[in-house]
Amino acid sequence: MTVITIARQELRSIVRERRFQVAALVLSALFALSLYGAWDYYASLKRQHTEAARIARNQWDNQEPKNPHSAAHYGTYVFKPVYPLSFFDRGIDAFTGNTLFLEGHRMNEAQHRAIADRGELARLGVLTPAFVLGILFPLFIIVLAFNTITGERENGNLRLLLAQGVQPAALFVGKGLGLGLAVLSLALPFLLVGSVGLLLPEVEQQHWIRYGLMALAYLVYLGCFVHLALIVSALVRRANVALVALLGLWILMCLIAPKAAAEYAAWKYPTPTRQSYQKAVKKDLEEGVDGHDPSGEYSKKLEQETLKQYGVSTVDSLPFNWDGFIMQKGEEHETYVFQKHKDKLLAIYQQQQGVLETAALLSPYLLVNLSSQRLAGTDVHTYHNFLAAAEKYRVELIGELNNDLMLNFKYGDWKGTRDRAFFASNKKFEYEGPDLVQAWRVSRPSLVLLAGWYLLSGFIGLLILQRIKPV
Amino acid sequence: MIAAQHLHKRYGNTQALEDLNLDIAPGEIFCLLGQNGAGKTTTINCFLGFVQPSAGKAFINGIDVSQQPVESKKHLAYLPEVVMLYPNLSGLENLQYFSRLAGFRYEKGELLAFLQVAGLDEAAALRRVSTYSKGMRQKAGIAIAMAKRAKTLFLDEPTSGLDPKASNEFAQLLKTLAQDGVAVLMATHDIFRAREVATRIGIMREGKLVAVHQADELTANELEKVYLETV
């Protein structure tokens, strides 16, 4: 009961204050601006990618008649899907290539990183709804809450409150609740309006659930800052010191921690340089069949084994086209090598993510940031899921072409061609992205840690407040 | 009703309170005189549980303050030297808030009556405290203390912001409360007001209660003389 009374009073007091009104107005204006920018970004990106994917497939379907293996060299493009929640949180989207060229013999890297087209300033962050909620909103909380306890102490009301028989812990819960309601009065409308991105046509239901979890994560995150503000306000005797301390914490947690954690992860688990990576791949490639070099060491060995297996003496006596067979064997070796090195790289990325999660214990911003990206589908996992799907498709498409060469063409017949009807019948790239279950599995650790942060900071706050003395 | 037994409080090398013994009966008003730093506020802080005594015990209505800090506060009301309250709320809202925290849910009429008795009329009661003078805030504080209907009352320089008329009204109010059986401990610099309102007057020096006089045995001038000789 006392808790409710304190909460109501706190809320009433905050809402009547000029600084709340001004700060809420500024924050709302920034949020509206971020929504406008997000809409612009999302709508145009979605249009571009849909259009580009259509053109790429059209080019494949309508290519000039050619030999199926020539078509493998002709290649095709696939594009990273644009998920509806990238509207809210762009995550690492700007830093990852969005276009992948698929061709025979090699696994390419994704091209066209959006960040490459932008100035250095873009690296500081873009005004997205996620930025407003994750970085700017805590500032709003700090402005509201820095003197919650110091103010009561400085004006002597703390003495009066405690003399009235209020349990100090009730003060923490009540004030936390009041501040929480003031925060909700702004954050809830933001989160409701922020869901406009989901109103676009063809948005799957799972994105609504993802957004619900994201919204919850942001609210818990803001709750962490309410706790932090109360703790600092209770520990520090003067309001101006509390303000400076909280701003310092904000700089550490929201601005420095993300960069420092990423730097540390990259230092602890370094990724190989591009040169050394390509050198290692090249070395491994040379130790296997090359479909374009039938007289090579490994090709000759494969030839001997195959002839023996089928009991024939020359490759043109084989029941299939040797060219197609060796081409596919070469492809399989190449795929194996690329995949092996890619897996090593992925393992390093995985370790780096682990470091980020551990470092996130120091900053709830890292946790909400990871959770938000993972739920929005703009995180590392979702990106690699796309790359893996694209690679799987590449292997199937090239396999389909080599198989056609092997079964339907004569040995040595490099002049034979396939026409549009064949290419149009080739497997299409149909990729939906990770489903809700996968997204939940990936985002669960950071969500659980975030909830832990909230509970632990609340518990510490209670302990500290319980010992507070007004003199 | 208000009792201290061998209360000591030490801050490092400073003895803020030394062997304080006190027993204030219901209906009694005990005024503590002394210079700044003599230990008056520390004494009150010990009874409020804001300061943990180094030795000795403080009792409110027989309850050991350090054993049952929250329970003991049910039996006391407190008026600090500076009452700031919440500037964004009206006097009425402040009174309602503090009363609710003490567990009282008064009707608006009752709240206005408390404020009226403390010297704030309805028009003033409905204004935000940010528009109040220091004296008006003090009056709102008096209303808050009265509304708690406690058996003991602790006052720390309560008349420091009041004009002579309000101070006089406050003295009358205190006497009325004492007649109703409230035990009052008041720290003050106002010798004349103390002489007028108190049952007993104690003089503190360097943490010690060095003299206690019956107020009606001395005139104000005599009291001032005694005070100056003692401190």
Side-chain angles (χ1 to χ4, degrees), chain A residues 392-440:
Chain A
K392 182 164 173 282
Y393 170 68
R394 186 187 74 85
V395 169
E396 285 168 356
L397 180 66
I398 305 301
E400 193 179 349
L401 298 171
N402 285 337
N403 204 40
D404 184 54
L405 181 66
M406 181 173 100
L407 296 180
N408 303 326
F409 288 78
K410 281 210 170 69
Y411 175 62
D413 177 15
W414 290 103
K415 294 260 158 45
T417 59
R418 285 293 187 184
D419 62 7
R420 284 166 192 180
F422 171 76
F423 294 123
S425 77
N426 288 148
K427 189 175 168 57
K428 290 184 170 59
F429 183 56
E430 277 159 353
Y431 174 64
E432 293 296 331
D435 61 13
L436 186 61
V437 178
Q438 280 170 288
W440 167 246

Side-chain angles (χ1 to χ4, degrees), chain A residues 56-67:
Chain A
R57 181 66 203 189
N58 205 32
Q59 277 178 345
W60 177 265
D61 289 352
N62 293 307
Q63 57 186 300
E64 289 299 309
K66 54 173 74 73
N67 181 278

Side-chain angles (χ1 to χ4, degrees), chain A residues 1-2 5-6 8-9 12-13 16-17 152 155 157 159-167 469-471, chain B residues 45 49-51 70 73 76 78 80 84-86 88-89 93 97-98 100-102 105 128 144 148:
Chain A
M1 207 48 232
T2 310
T5 306
I6 296 172
R8 277 186 46 183
Q9 142 66 16
R12 187 164 55 171
S13 215
R16 284 181 188 179
E17 266 192 71
E152 301 275 22
N155 65 21
N157 285 344
R159 299 173 65 91
L160 208 48
L161 285 171
L162 296 178
Q164 291 300 90
V166 173
Q167 287 265 16
K469 292 279 182 222
V471 286
Chain B
N45 281 339
F50 296 165
V51 163
V70 175
K73 290 196 182 65
L76 70 83
Y78 169 60
M84 294 303 288
L85 306 178
Y86 297 98
N88 286 332
L89 305 188
E93 285 169 332
Y97 176 54
F98 282 106
R100 282 199 175 171
L101 290 180
R105 297 183 78 84
R128 288 200 183 176
I144 288 170
K148 215 180 161 193

Side-chain angles (χ1 to χ4, degrees), chain A residues 337-351:
Chain A
V337 169
F338 275 107
Q339 195 60 53
K340 185 178 99 179
H341 287 276
K342 188 81 190 174
D343 285 346
K344 273 191 197 164
L345 207 54
L346 276 178
I348 294 172
Y349 286 139
Q350 202 64 253
Q351 286 170 318

